[in-house]
Amino acid sequence: VHRQLCLLLNAENIFHSMADILLREEDLKFASTMVHTLNTILLTSSELFQLRNQLKDLKTPESRNLFCCLYRSWCHNPVTTVSLCFLTQNYKHAYDLIQKFGDLEVTVDFLTEVDKLVQLIECPIFTYLRLQLLDVKNNPYLIKALYGLLMLLPQSSAFQLLSHRLQCVPNPELMQTTDNTKPSTSFKRTAASNIDYTELLQHFEKVQNKHLEARHQRAGRAEQLDRRVVL
């Protein structure tokens, strides 16, 4: 349904509206599931190719505004938030988020989503990201973020897949060229984005603390029900 709406209406407006609605959603588990679903549509739907390109470069005020809007709702799902940062080439912020994962409650569902993200990195949508691994000097945080995901995973098939990909990252000394005068486009784009990443990171922590509290409340209610059944 969302894909058909994006064809008939403005995709940017649809995602903006959905993100605004989910930001105010009080059912945190539902919000997390919806964010995951919308993110999957955003990353895999052929109808959203143009929107992905707008977000990938963040060249316009509209695209940067959409990123910040999506980010705030995407914080309902930690792994989805990282995938949004990968899509928008915000590798430093992706690395900062992954560092925060050590403070989160790591569940089986959480690890399953990391597994799916690793699988997604191998898909055509992230071809540009894999090619950027060739530019080791200008993309250190991309490599550090991928190694961060690797360290989160148990030694599974996804671990082996990402490990093999990172083994392909070349030695930076072998990749040096004589043309050192050309500025890095990735740094130039990031510098021009004017996005307050510190505030976004604080928002991520705030939303995730709410999710942790809600999970514990659900677990407490379930435990009380079990006791009633036993009695």
Side-chain angles (χ1 to χ4, degrees), residues 7-27:
L7 280 175
L8 296 171
L9 304 172
N10 184 285
E12 182 179 337
N13 289 342
I14 291 172
F15 271 83
H16 209 299
S17 298
M18 293 296 292
D20 283 339
I21 292 169
L22 289 170
L23 189 60
R24 299 189 296 272
E25 177 58 52
E26 294 182 0
D27 186 338

Side-chain angles (χ1 to χ4, degrees), residues 28-41:
L28 298 181
K29 192 172 183 180
F30 171 77
S32 178
T33 302
M34 279 299 299
V35 162
H36 177 75
T37 302
L38 287 171
N39 187 66
T40 301
I41 294 171

